[in-house]
Amino acid sequence: ETFDAFSVILKENPSQCQVASLLTLLRLRRENPQEIAGMVRAMNAACKSVKFSSERKLLDIVGTGGDGADTINISTASVVLAAACGATVAKAGNRSVSSACGSADVLEALGIKVALSPEEVVTCVERCGIAFLFAPINHPAMKAVAPIRKQLGVRTCFNILGPMTNAASAQRAVIGVFHEELLELM
């Protein structure tokens, strides 16, 4: 059911009221693993993927955001360190929606271009060993959901989905969560 519902959200642009209602109800009831799996399938089906050779092993270090503590963006600092140590990194992320600072906000503040096409991501990884996969580029349907999430002002299932839908299909991931009860979902 969630695959169908999220396919509609991501492809047919339903009313903001309907989307906000669904996101709020899911949050109040707490999403279960089967629902999250359906949402991930819908997100991946609507994704503009980034294609790498099968030999390339990619790492993503990503967090859910939504901790409410206005902490620093740990995942972005971590991928820079990992790349400096030799890991090949395809970092997925976005601007802040439910936290003080998103990965894109950090990188832009450092003067790094975040809006890379899938082809530019591949080139960047080949040249530098690290690239950023900006959610609005790789998951364009999310543009319709972002203002709804911002207005709700609380974490939603999209905080959980983002770390699970890397457009480059990173084979290795370190995922930070804002609460230990999310470990089973992730």
Side-chain angles (χ1 to χ4, degrees):
E1 293 175 337
T2 54
F3 173 80
D4 293 334
F6 276 71
S7 293
V8 169
I9 289 170
L10 298 170
K11 294 177 184 169
E12 298 178 22
N13 202 17
S15 79
Q16 290 190 347
C17 183
Q18 289 174 317
V19 175
S21 295
L22 177 61
L23 296 178
T24 302
L25 289 171
L26 285 168
R27 181 171 193 250
L28 290 173
R29 189 177 53 70
R30 297 205 176 151
E31 305 87 349
N32 66 48
Q34 293 78 19
E35 290 169 335
I36 294 296
M39 295 173 203
V40 167
R41 285 190 6 253
M43 289 275 294
N44 287 336
C47 177
K48 287 172 122 177
S49 61
V50 179
K51 304 288 187 211
F52 284 95
S53 68
S54 60
E55 303 91 46
R56 179 141 337 246
K57 301 299 181 207
L58 302 169
L59 168 69
D60 189 4
I61 301 176
V62 63
T64 59
D67 65 1
D70 292 334
T71 55
I72 64 168
N73 191 293
I74 296 166
S75 66
T76 306
S78 298
V79 294
V80 172
L81 178 61
C85 292
T88 304
V89 177
K91 164 81 175 123
N94 203 349
R95 297 189 195 292
S96 170
V97 177
S98 62
S99 295
C101 187
S103 296
D105 303 315
V106 171
L107 295 172
E108 284 182 328
L110 295 172
I112 297 169
K113 179 182 173 188
V114 297
L116 301 177
S117 70
E119 297 78 17
E120 290 172 315
V121 168
V122 171
T123 300
C124 194
V125 164
E126 288 172 354
R127 289 185 186 165
C128 306
I130 185 172
F132 185 67
L133 289 78
F134 190 36
I137 301 290
N138 299 109
H139 297 282
M142 294 299 299
K143 289 178 186 174
V145 179
I148 299 166
R149 293 179 62 205
K150 196 74 157 170
Q151 283 185 321
L152 287 173
V154 295
R155 78 109 183 135
T156 69
C157 55
F158 285 104
N159 290 79
I160 299 166
L161 296 176
M164 299 174 78
T165 55
N166 182 298
S169 299
Q171 298 87 346
R172 296 171 175 91
V174 176
I175 301 174
V177 298
F178 61 85
H179 196 280
E180 70 181 57
E181 69 187 27
L182 288 177
L183 293 174
E184 190 175 319
L185 285 177
M186 305 304 280

Short mmCIF file of all heavy atoms in Angstrom, two decimals, residues 58 62 97 117 125 164 178:
data_model
loop_
_atom_site.label_atom_id
_atom_site.label_comp_id
_atom_site.label_asym_id
_atom_site.label_seq_id
_atom_site.Cartn_x
_atom_site.Cartn_y
_atom_site.Cartn_z
N LEU A 58 31.36 2.15 -3.41
CA LEU A 58 31.06 3.48 -2.91
C LEU A 58 30.63 3.46 -1.45
O LEU A 58 29.97 2.51 -1.00
CB LEU A 58 29.94 4.11 -3.74
CG LEU A 58 30.22 4.24 -5.24
CD1 LEU A 58 28.94 4.63 -5.97
CD2 LEU A 58 31.32 5.25 -5.49
N VAL A 62 25.55 9.08 6.09
CA VAL A 62 24.36 9.92 6.03
C VAL A 62 23.58 9.81 7.34
O VAL A 62 23.67 8.81 8.03
CB VAL A 62 23.50 9.52 4.81
CG1 VAL A 62 23.00 8.11 4.92
CG2 VAL A 62 22.39 10.49 4.53
N VAL A 97 15.81 20.48 6.25
CA VAL A 97 14.35 20.51 6.24
C VAL A 97 13.84 20.41 7.67
O VAL A 97 12.98 21.17 8.09
CB VAL A 97 13.75 19.37 5.37
CG1 VAL A 97 12.23 19.36 5.45
CG2 VAL A 97 14.18 19.52 3.92
N SER A 117 24.68 17.13 -11.98
CA SER A 117 23.93 16.13 -12.74
C SER A 117 24.52 14.76 -12.43
O SER A 117 25.66 14.66 -11.93
CB SER A 117 24.05 16.41 -14.23
OG SER A 117 25.37 16.13 -14.67
N VAL A 125 33.60 11.95 -8.81
CA VAL A 125 34.11 10.80 -8.07
C VAL A 125 35.37 10.26 -8.74
O VAL A 125 36.35 9.93 -8.07
CB VAL A 125 33.03 9.69 -7.93
CG1 VAL A 125 33.65 8.36 -7.51
CG2 VAL A 125 31.97 10.11 -6.95
N MET A 164 18.23 5.84 2.89
CA MET A 164 18.07 4.52 2.31
C MET A 164 17.91 4.54 0.79
O MET A 164 17.70 3.50 0.18
CB MET A 164 16.86 3.84 2.95
CG MET A 164 17.03 3.68 4.45
SD MET A 164 15.58 3.05 5.25
CE MET A 164 15.71 1.33 4.83
N PHE A 178 18.40 9.60 14.74
CA PHE A 178 18.17 10.51 15.87
C PHE A 178 17.62 9.81 17.09
O PHE A 178 17.57 10.39 18.17
CB PHE A 178 17.26 11.67 15.46
CG PHE A 178 15.89 11.24 15.00
CD1 PHE A 178 14.87 11.02 15.89
CD2 PHE A 178 15.63 11.09 13.65
CE1 PHE A 178 13.63 10.64 15.48
CE2 PHE A 178 14.38 10.72 13.21
CZ PHE A 178 13.37 10.48 14.11
#
